[in-house]
Amino acid sequence: MNLGAILQAINLGLLWSIMAIGVFITFRILNFADLTVEGSFVLGAAVVARLITLNLDPALAAWIPLIATLAAVLIGVLAGLITGFLHTVLKIPPLLSGILTMTGLFSINLRIMGMANINLGRGITTLMDQAAGGLSNVTTGITGLFGGSAVDVVSRDASIAVGLVFVIIVIMALKLFFNTEIGYVIRATGDNEAMVKAQGVSTNRTKMLGLALGNGCVALSGALVAQTQGFADVNMGMGTIVTGLAAVIIGEVIFRDKNSHRVFIAVVFGAILFFIIRAFVLSIPWMNANDFRGITAIVIAIALAIPMFREKFNFRLKKAAFGSKEVE
């Protein structure tokens, strides 16, 4: 596996880690098995692709990619609220609520795009293109001071920079939010819903807010991935929940302190490591892209088994140490 493949894995890992953070919010913090992410990921991609290709007011041309990305986040929040409504108001179980919303979003995504996929290739300016142009100007200006020639920043490197910026913004915003009173209530709802109700707090509202927050992150990830890949497809969300869970589980294995805000950083590293592992396995001559799902299943199984092996190893070390003391 060459350096280019590693950088591409880091690029995808950063962008998909925002989706994994959204999965972590619903799955771990809120303790809600939410399958809405399979649809809200595509929803974010569909909204951003449709808005970018509409050729709106030329005066806003430079701002359209950013506006479209923010609009995708807001629509993702709405998708989370729909799942919350189905669960809290209509009393539909969490798993079925997510499945219903995910199923409905398939048709909504087709309506938004007007077709099965939208190409964001030549002639379409995305955030990644703007970042590549801006970074090229900066690096060219710096090298020009020392007599160097112009430097062109490739789309992949610009995408890494954009992904890193958005990851930092999301983590900082979530850290601030979960340190507020409502943030603590959301965490308490996932830990002990009965206790929160006993304090006179409406858990229905906290669940809806948590689902909205999580799916907003997922839609943001979908919008950024679409702009990086150069297209939005109605089927690009298949397996999203599995990828998100893989990143969460790998991250939790790296950082075992689940009560710390460092866990968001752990999820980011988990996503990056997952894509590096996938790229490494797919670089083996007799492997191909059709083995992706099998590779994902194996990676998750190994990540889930690591704590068990770690516990057994620590137990043997303690047993050996205790036995040596008896001998003395």
Side-chain angles (χ1 to χ4, degrees), residues 116-176:
N117 56 73
I118 295 178
N119 182 27
L120 297 175
R122 289 185 176 180
I124 305 297
T125 302
T126 65
L127 275 179
M128 309 309 168
D129 297 325
Q130 291 178 336
L135 290 174
S136 295
N137 292 334
V138 171
T139 52
T140 298
I142 294 175
T143 56
L145 295 175
F146 301 95
S149 58
V151 177
D152 290 328
V153 177
V154 298
S155 177
R156 181 201 61 209
D157 296 338
S159 181
I160 291 175
V162 171
L164 186 60
V165 169
F166 273 96
V167 164
I168 293 174
I169 292 173
V170 168
I171 290 178
M172 291 182 64
L174 290 176
K175 182 176 180 180
L176 292 173

Side-chain angles (χ1 to χ4, degrees), residues 264-275:
F264 291 127
I265 300 176
V267 171
V268 174
F269 279 107
I272 294 173
L273 183 58
F274 170 76
F275 278 95

